[in-house]
Amino acid sequence: MQPPFSVSLILLPGFSLFAFGAVRSLFAAANEVGGELLYQVEQFVTDGAQAITQCGVALSARPIDQLQRADLLMLVADERVEPSIANTTGNFLKQYLSSSHHAGESILGGCGTGTQILAEHGLLDGYRAAIHWQILADAVKRYPNIVFTPGLFEIDRNRISAGAGAAVLDLLLHWLEQRHGNTFAAEVAASLGLDRLRGSDERQPVPASAQPALGSARLKEALELMAANLAEPLQAEDIAQLVGVSRRQLERLFRQHLDTFPSRYYLELRLKHARRQLKQTTQSILQVGLACGFTSGPHFSTTYRNYFGYTPREERARHSMPQAMTKNSEEDIQ
């Protein structure tokens, strides 16, 4: 019998009690679903003998220098960490990973602002990563060797990362899916009261009050127009006119703030919405395509395959749950 997979949580000052509880609950559920001790979780702290949460609750934890072995090390943080503690943590991780015994074996993860510590110490160079939406724009500028994405989470080889709050659940459920299969992950999700797994392509939810800070007011208006007109997409000229700029100015705003073109962003928005509908509803594939602004079944199928690498039919087959599916006629799309 193999020893349990060891998970070490490094709790940084001001970490989210919600995120911590979610991680502990998820691995407890995984053990229950598996019928044995598959995962053994321990918690560590960089400074002192207690971990202080964002809401002031103190939890007992072992000093980080007592961490001997971990298959997965995850930094849990929700606020900016003092430089001294961040440096202590980052230096420990670099020393730990550089040892001959652990080199290439451990998986390293970050939750919320914990990802920033990994980035600061070069532990995410060459990887894709997700980070708390509040520091995403700054991270993109400060760490050019890392591909930061606005999604909920990222799994890239032996690095895993999640944005804010509940995104850590989505991250670890998909990670469990990779290790144990879809059925196992679905059972764990169900035991936690979750009816679906959100994908990494879904963007982190940003409070409406904070959205203007992420771009210009006119860009925000353009994004809202696109989101409100998925079934009948607007032309770029019409969007520009409605928000009071020229088409060239609109393209400049998208390049400056989102590093893309309006047409590309709009297409991705429609495709990702279609993907969620395929996973979450029992509408026929044709109905989904038409609702997302595609003029025909073949047009939708071809565009979807070119973007995601597989057809809408294959997408639905990968994520379908037999008891929830209906036998809508979908033979018109191959």
Side-chain angles (χ1 to χ4, degrees), residues 252-325:
R252 189 180 300 118
L253 286 172
F254 271 80
R255 289 199 303 270
Q256 178 182 350
H257 295 282
L258 299 174
D259 194 27
T260 189
F261 288 93
S263 58
R264 180 65 177 175
Y265 180 92
Y266 208 172
L267 178 61
E268 290 179 349
L269 188 68
R270 291 160 51 210
L271 286 169
K272 289 176 180 178
H273 181 69
R275 190 183 197 187
R276 289 192 291 273
Q277 294 302 301
L278 290 170
K279 292 180 181 180
Q280 300 168 20
T281 75
T282 57
Q283 286 185 316
S284 73
I285 292 175
L286 180 58
Q287 288 172 330
V288 170
L290 294 175
C292 294
F294 297 95
T295 55
S296 68
H299 177 215
F300 175 43
S301 183
T302 299
T303 308
Y304 197 98
R305 183 181 64 246
N306 290 340
Y307 185 79
F308 290 113
Y310 36 79
T311 66
R313 178 186 291 277
E314 291 168 339
E315 176 74 85
R316 174 153 280 177
R318 291 169 68 239
H319 296 278
S320 63
M321 299 181 67
Q323 65 272 23
M325 296 296 295

Side-chain angles (χ1 to χ4, degrees), residues 38-156:
L38 297 174
Y39 296 93
Q40 185 168 356
V41 185
E42 294 184 290
Q43 57 212 46
F44 296 85
V45 66
T46 302
D47 185 27
Q50 287 187 322
I52 308 300
T53 71
Q54 187 182 48
C55 55
V57 176
L59 300 177
S60 61
R62 297 170 60 189
I64 197 173
D65 56 13
Q66 293 184 11
L67 197 161
Q68 298 297 319
R69 174 188 172 274
D71 297 308
L72 168 62
L73 293 92
M74 175 166 281
L75 302 187
V76 182
D78 199 55
E79 297 179 347
R80 292 183 183 271
V81 180
E82 293 182 9
S84 60
I85 295 178
N87 288 335
T88 299
T89 305
N91 290 333
F92 169 82
L93 291 174
K94 287 199 295 185
Q95 182 179 5
Y96 178 91
L97 294 174
S98 66
S99 66
S100 58
H101 178 69
H102 301 294
E105 295 180 0
S106 297
I107 300 168
L108 201 56
C111 171
T113 56
T115 306
Q116 185 174 25
I117 296 177
L118 302 181
E120 186 70 33
H121 289 80
L123 296 170
L124 289 175
D125 286 358
Y127 288 87
R128 294 174 63 86
I131 198 168
H132 198 295
W133 63 266
Q134 289 180 318
I135 57 176
L136 173 61
D138 181 58
V140 170
K141 297 177 183 177
R142 291 183 61 182
Y143 312 111
N145 295 327
I146 303 168
V147 180
F148 285 104
T149 66
L152 293 170
F153 64 88
E154 286 291 340
I155 300 175
D156 188 356

Side-chain angles (χ1 to χ4, degrees), residues 25-34 38-39 153 155 168-198 318-321:
S25 297
L26 178 136
F27 284 116
N31 289 336
E32 185 174 350
V33 170
L38 297 174
Y39 296 93
F153 64 88
I155 300 175
V168 69
L169 274 177
D170 301 291
L171 165 67
L172 292 175
L173 283 168
H174 280 270
W175 184 72
L176 288 178
E177 183 179 28
Q178 289 184 358
R179 288 178 54 81
H180 303 283
N182 178 265
T183 300
F184 183 93
E187 290 184 18
V188 172
S191 70
L192 296 173
L194 303 175
D195 60 353
R196 72 180 184 92
L197 278 67
R198 295 185 296 175
R318 291 169 68 239
H319 296 278
S320 63
M321 299 181 67

